[in-house]
Amino acid sequence: MADNLLDKARDVFEGQIDFDGQRLAELLTTALLTTAGIVAFLVGYSTQNIALTLWILLAGAAVTFLVVVPPWPFFNKNPVTWLPSHSSGLSGLEVEVDGQRVT
């Protein structure tokens, strides 16, 4: 029973995401940080308050961190199925070196 709980906890904290999830995380990072930067610039320029600009940028970075860093389930919708490993070594594999076959 403890092994099952440990396996579930390991799956949650391991943070595996697939390739599409990586692409989505990069897109979300770019979009959120760009939006926060534009909003911060516009608000800071209109109010002439640099402290408010920095707080808005900090809040945008924090929101981006909370959206992108945890391994949310929507980042692993298309997991990659890898080929099984061959533990038999190089048996059955033929390699040619300097015109001679090595098996």
Side-chain angles (χ1 to χ4, degrees):
M1 178 159 158
D3 290 335
N4 291 338
L5 290 174
L6 185 61
D7 287 338
K8 288 179 183 179
R10 189 176 299 129
D11 288 341
V12 168
F13 291 114
E14 195 171 77
Q16 291 187 0
I17 63 174
D18 58 17
F19 294 118
D20 292 332
Q22 289 176 353
R23 187 176 303 115
L24 178 61
E26 183 181 356
L27 178 67
L28 285 172
T29 301
T30 303
L32 289 172
L33 289 178
T34 301
T35 303
I38 290 170
V39 168
F41 175 76
L42 293 175
V43 169
Y45 185 76
S46 66
T47 62
Q48 295 294 304
N49 188 350
I50 191 70
L52 183 60
T53 303
L54 294 176
W55 280 110
I56 291 172
L57 279 174
L58 181 64
V63 168
T64 303
F65 179 84
L66 291 175
V67 169
V68 174
V69 171
W72 300 109
F74 62 85
F75 286 136
N76 198 16
K77 284 186 176 179
N78 305 308
V80 177
T81 54
W82 300 99
L83 294 175
S85 63
H86 296 295
S87 61
S88 62
L90 296 176
S91 65
L93 182 67
E94 295 183 2
V95 179
E96 189 171 318
V97 177
D98 293 331
Q100 296 190 13
R101 287 200 160 166
V102 179
T103 57

